[in-house]
Amino acid sequence: GINAEYGIYRHSRQTDKQQKMSVVIVSAVRTPIGSHLGSLSSISGPKLGAIATRGALQRVPALKPTDVDELIFGNVVSAGIGQAPARQVSKGSGLPDSVVCTTVNKVCSSGMKAVMYGAQSIMLKQHGVVVAGGFESMSNVPYYLPGARTGYRYNHQQVVDGIIQDGLWCAHDNTHMGNAGEACAKKFGFSREDQDKYAINSYKRASEAAKRGAFKDEIVPVEIRQKKGEPIIIKDDEEYKKVNYDRIPELRPAFDSKGTITAANASSINDGASSLVLMSEEKAKAMGIKPIARIRGFADAEQAPVEFTTAPALAIPKALKAAGLQQKDIGFWEINEAFSVVSLANIKLLNLDPETVNVNGGAVAIGHPIGCSGARIITTLINVLKQNKSTFGCAAICNGGGGASAIIIENIV
């Protein structure tokens, strides 16, 4: 039966009847990742989600909009974007009113958790076709005026940045996520030079991957209409092109004057969306739709809020157990680079080969639109497995509050 802790059938023990519960991915795409106040900043988060979802559905021509039962999307900072963000994505994608919509906020793990919820919906036979993913337009997050509702009587008042308040600030320890990164670096002995070296490698990997077309199968272009003339088509990630390698060693620490984390070896503030189409394997076969990947297992883990950086090292073994696999079975890994030290620490804890982790670059170079990234790294992982003719991969992402999510993907040739 269903393993309550991990929420998926153990593949090695599946009967023929249970095999029908297998969840496959038939499409996985993302928008380009835009810089803060950059190329995608004129487009709202839900609209980015809709663009990604339309692109995902267009790659499965056998699926009609009426075939979609449910849409689940991750989004972290929903202030100012309107009611029911996931419903906006669904309507903007041209899906019918009958599609059930849910928005998920698990901070940086939101997009991945949306995919996990989608898989569970199919496994429980509640729905047969689910669109899942995540979006974030950090450029459009508003500033807040606390106290304005009751009136400002006297003295200066504060304007609060919604990105920091609801996206990057620990509500438990009352500190920026970056300070938890500093604690991680100190605990595991990672120097400024270690983190800068890692960041430079991430930028180089992303740049080289883009040059050889490694992202072309996962990116759907974004059209930005102009008041006059032809629309501008954005089809490439923006962040990695802005790096200045000479300046990286010179940057000041971002969170602690004596610290090691800088703007260069941390992820950036970004805009983007990713969308995946999930189906039961039984329904995909019946409709003649060829899957691109299979979801083999997934799991979440939690520990103290300040230790969110290493929570992936707890979630990954649980996901492997759910999938009936061992660590040695995994060919490639995507571990979200909230900070360079996050990947460094989890590589160390799990004794991973760095040459198999984030091989096309990670969030330090590509960008980290927080509600999108969990889905984005699954999408990227699927393409990495195909490019390298590898069978199994794992994507994992930490989230504020002390948590992480991990998912095991099987490439279908």
Side-chain angles (χ1 to χ4, degrees):
I2 294 179
N3 182 303
E5 183 175 6
Y6 308 113
I8 198 163
Y9 283 99
R10 293 181 183 276
H11 195 84
S12 59
R13 299 179 183 175
Q14 285 179 337
T15 65
D16 289 340
K17 184 177 180 180
Q18 290 171 338
Q19 192 79 286
K20 296 176 183 178
M21 308 291 279
S22 177
V23 180
V24 293
I25 300 168
V26 298
S27 181
V29 304
R30 65 178 179 89
T31 66
I33 306 301
S35 297
H36 185 225
L37 302 177
S39 61
L40 301 183
S41 61
S42 64
I43 303 176
S44 73
K47 286 182 179 177
L48 288 173
I51 290 167
T53 298
R54 285 199 301 270
L57 291 168
Q58 285 169 1
R59 296 193 180 189
V60 195
L63 270 181
K64 301 186 298 293
T66 51
D67 292 322
V68 177
D69 302 305
E70 184 174 22
L71 183 143
I72 307 172
F73 250 66
N75 168 234
V76 180
V77 188
S78 298
I81 62 176
Q83 279 188 341
R87 183 66 165 176
Q88 293 181 52
V89 172
S90 181
K91 294 289 288 179
S93 306
L95 293 175
D97 288 341
S98 58
V99 173
V100 178
C101 301
T102 304
T103 307
V104 175
N105 184 351
K106 194 176 184 285
V107 207
C108 300
S109 295
S110 299
M112 184 175 291
K113 190 64 178 178
V115 173
M116 291 159 65
Y117 279 144
Q120 288 176 328
S121 179
I122 292 169
M123 288 154 48
L124 292 169
K125 293 190 174 182
Q126 291 181 324
H127 297 112
V129 180
V130 179
V131 174
F135 70 79
E136 205 77 43
S137 177
M138 299 178 81
S139 293
N140 285 300
V141 173
Y143 283 84
Y144 308 153
L145 292 174
R149 189 171 299 281
T150 54
Y152 295 140
R153 294 172 180 254
Y154 181 70
N155 216 333
H156 305 299
Q157 302 295 331
Q158 185 181 27
V159 177
V160 175
D161 187 344
I163 296 175
I164 296 175
Q165 176 71 16
D166 291 332
L168 307 176
W169 196 262
C170 179
H172 311 281
D173 296 328
N174 194 30
T175 186
H176 196 290
M177 299 280 91
N179 290 305
E182 289 286 7
C184 179
K186 186 176 291 185
K187 179 177 180 178
F188 291 96
F190 291 115
S191 67
R192 163 74 179 267
E193 290 71 24
D194 293 333
Q195 294 171 70
D196 283 353
K197 182 180 178 181
Y198 182 93
I200 289 168
N201 192 41
S202 182
Y203 273 104
K204 289 183 175 179
R205 284 181 173 183
S207 178
E208 290 164 4
K211 287 177 183 175
R212 68 173 184 271
F215 298 129
K216 64 180 177 60
D217 289 336
E218 65 188 69
I219 291 180
V220 292
V222 175
E223 181 180 289
I224 301 178
R225 296 177 182 176
Q226 305 297 299
K227 290 183 178 179
K228 294 182 179 180
E230 294 296 314
I232 296 174
I233 307 298
I234 308 297
K235 56 183 179 179
D236 298 310
D237 295 322
E238 186 175 6
E239 200 65 43
Y240 75 89
K241 299 176 183 179
K242 300 166 66 175
V243 67
N244 182 336
Y245 292 111
D246 293 334
R247 286 201 61 206
I248 289 177
E250 302 172 357
L251 294 175
R252 294 180 180 179
F255 307 104
D256 182 336
S257 61
K258 296 181 180 179
T260 58
I261 297 177
T262 69
N265 63 39
S267 61
S268 48
I269 294 171
N270 299 96
D271 308 328
S274 181
S275 186
L276 299 87
V277 182
L278 316 180
M279 299 182 69
S280 68
E281 191 158 7
E282 179 184 30
K283 184 155 189 165
K285 286 179 180 177
M287 296 184 70
I289 297 171
K290 180 174 172 52
I292 58 174
R294 181 180 292 111
I295 296 175
R296 284 291 298 263
F298 46 81
D300 300 297
E302 298 277 348
Q303 53 186 358
V306 71
E307 296 180 331
F308 80 91
T309 50
T310 54
L314 300 179
I316 287 170
K318 292 171 71 176
L320 286 167
K321 186 177 179 181
L325 297 173
Q326 298 178 22
Q327 188 169 302
K328 64 181 177 60
D329 297 319
I330 302 300
F332 290 91
W333 307 80
E334 287 288 323
I335 299 178
N336 193 58
E337 297 168 357
F339 306 98
S340 292
V341 73
V342 168
S343 292
L344 286 168
N346 286 285
I347 287 169
K348 182 175 184 176
L349 284 167
L350 295 171
N351 194 28
L352 303 180
D353 177 1
E355 295 303 310
T356 65
V357 181
N358 302 345
V359 295
N360 288 345
V364 164
I366 296 171
H368 183 19
I370 47 181
C372 159
S373 291
R376 197 280 297 172
I377 62 173
I378 299 172
T379 297
T380 297
L381 177 64
I382 292 169
N383 284 282
V384 166
L385 293 175
K386 293 191 178 301
Q387 290 158 12
N388 293 277
K389 297 179 171 58
S390 187
T391 304
F392 297 113
C394 174
I397 184 167
C398 60
N399 62 258
S405 297
I407 191 167
I408 310 299
I409 298 298
E410 179 182 358
N411 179 28
I412 298 178
V413 180

